[in-house]
Amino acid sequence: GIVIVLMIPVGTAAVPTQQHIDLHAAQYEFTPGRVEVNQGDTVTITLHADDVVHGLYVDGYGLETRTVPGVTEQIIFTADNGGKFKFRCSVSCGSLHPFMIGELVVRPNQPFWKAALITIISLIAMLIFLWQTSEKRI
């Protein structure tokens, strides 16, 4: 008989990591204005107020803190909700305060889904091969 060995690299799920983000707040923007993490990561945001009192509120997570110049505050959370979320200054910091908005992007854990898809395709290929081999024996 013929023996076929299927060699398919199977990835593993991305291991959640610790993400540390230094977020600077100054009238009227956050730096960086866009933060990207992977779903499942533990995220520590250290908020710095560079000029006046600023706050941070993260939509979708209900997290909030505030800080004054020279003092930092931290928010620590698990990024378990995937998608795009706005973060905004939660302290009235001047006339353009309503426009002080940034974006948190929580990317899905892609390596897990790729590994699952490769495994399913491998199983289907193996079942087809076994079915065809058993048909020939009859």
Side-chain angles (χ1 to χ4, degrees), residues 114-128:
K114 288 178 184 176
L117 183 61
I118 289 171
T119 302
I120 291 169
I121 291 170
S122 299
L123 287 172
I124 292 170
M126 184 177 69
L127 289 173
I128 291 171

Side-chain angles (χ1 to χ4, degrees), residues 45-63:
I45 297 176
T46 302
L47 180 64
H48 305 265
D50 293 343
D51 49 12
V52 297
V53 176
H54 288 285
L56 175 68
Y57 178 80
V58 182
D59 292 352
Y61 284 91
L63 302 169

Side-chain angles (χ1 to χ4, degrees), residues 10-130:
V10 178
T12 58
V15 177
T17 61
Q18 298 275 338
Q19 297 287 336
H20 298 277
I21 293 127
D22 279 317
L23 189 63
H24 288 264
Q27 293 177 315
Y28 296 96
E29 67 180 345
F30 288 104
T31 305
R34 180 182 169 110
V35 174
E36 294 186 25
V37 298
N38 291 320
Q39 196 166 4
D41 287 352
T42 300
V43 180
T44 301
I45 297 176
T46 302
L47 180 64
H48 305 265
D50 293 343
D51 49 12
V52 297
V53 176
H54 288 285
L56 175 68
Y57 178 80
V58 182
D59 292 352
Y61 284 91
L63 302 169
E64 186 171 4
T65 192
R66 62 184 284 158
T67 190
V68 298
V71 177
T72 60
E73 290 294 329
Q74 286 190 331
I75 292 179
I76 301 172
F77 66 101
T78 300
D80 50 5
N81 300 329
K84 292 182 180 180
F85 305 92
K86 298 292 182 199
F87 57 84
R88 59 191 82 243
C89 184
S90 59
V91 174
S92 184
C93 59
S95 60
L96 296 177
H97 162 76
F99 302 102
M100 191 168 167
I101 299 173
E103 184 176 55
L104 168 67
V105 178
V106 181
R107 296 180 298 248
N109 195 338
Q110 291 294 339
F112 170 78
W113 295 112
K114 288 178 184 176
L117 183 61
I118 289 171
T119 302
I120 291 169
I121 291 170
S122 299
L123 287 172
I124 292 170
M126 184 177 69
L127 289 173
I128 291 171
F129 172 75
L130 291 173

